[in-house]
Amino acid sequence: MTMILTPTAEHDVAAHDGLWISPVDAERVTGWTLKPEGMCRADLCVPLPASALAPNEIDLEAFWTKLGGPVIASDRRDVWALGAPPEERNAALEGLEAPDFTLPDVDGVPRSLSQLRGRKVFLATWASW
């Protein structure tokens, strides 16, 4: 068995030659369903190249990479991680707010992040190690 880690769950699936799995397992892991037009979720369909399809199998690594999601495997290729595609990561970060803190500026004047809300802020950090 192969373990696939996603941002929301862990899945044990039968996989071979990388991440070739059944369409049923692919749907369970990703939420995308194989249809004649490609992998689909709601009204959105992503066509798959012929090289990513075989009789009753999908190359999940190729599909996930086509979506723009990061894919990484353990050295033994028995554990895979599928990261969220960029659009999902950006949407998740959009509503987050950094915690407030106060630091001196270059002139030694204390500045709080909350004073700069609504403005673009560039934070440069440095560590000696």
Side-chain angles (χ1 to χ4, degrees), residues 2-16:
T2 299
M3 177 173 286
I4 301 176
L5 308 172
T6 67
T8 58
E10 298 177 4
H11 305 273
D12 284 321
V13 300
H16 67 89

Side-chain angles (χ1 to χ4, degrees), residues 44-101:
L44 178 63
C45 289
V46 176
L48 291 175
S51 61
L53 292 170
N56 205 29
E57 292 185 314
I58 298 168
D59 181 354
L60 190 60
E61 180 181 13
F63 167 64
W64 205 252
T65 301
K66 185 166 185 168
L67 285 180
V71 179
I72 191 167
S74 65
D75 289 340
R76 293 186 353 211
R77 299 173 70 85
D78 59 340
V79 179
W80 292 75
L82 305 179
E87 302 80 31
E88 290 180 28
R89 291 191 308 266
N90 289 342
L93 292 173
E94 202 169 278
L96 295 179
E97 194 170 283
D100 195 27
F101 59 88

Side-chain angles (χ1 to χ4, degrees), residues 101-124:
F101 59 88
T102 302
L103 293 172
D105 66 12
V106 293
D107 297 321
V109 178
R111 303 283 182 186
S112 295
L113 185 61
S114 60
Q115 294 172 315
L116 303 170
R117 294 270 186 239
R119 297 168 52 189
K120 291 185 179 186
V121 177
F122 175 75
L123 296 176

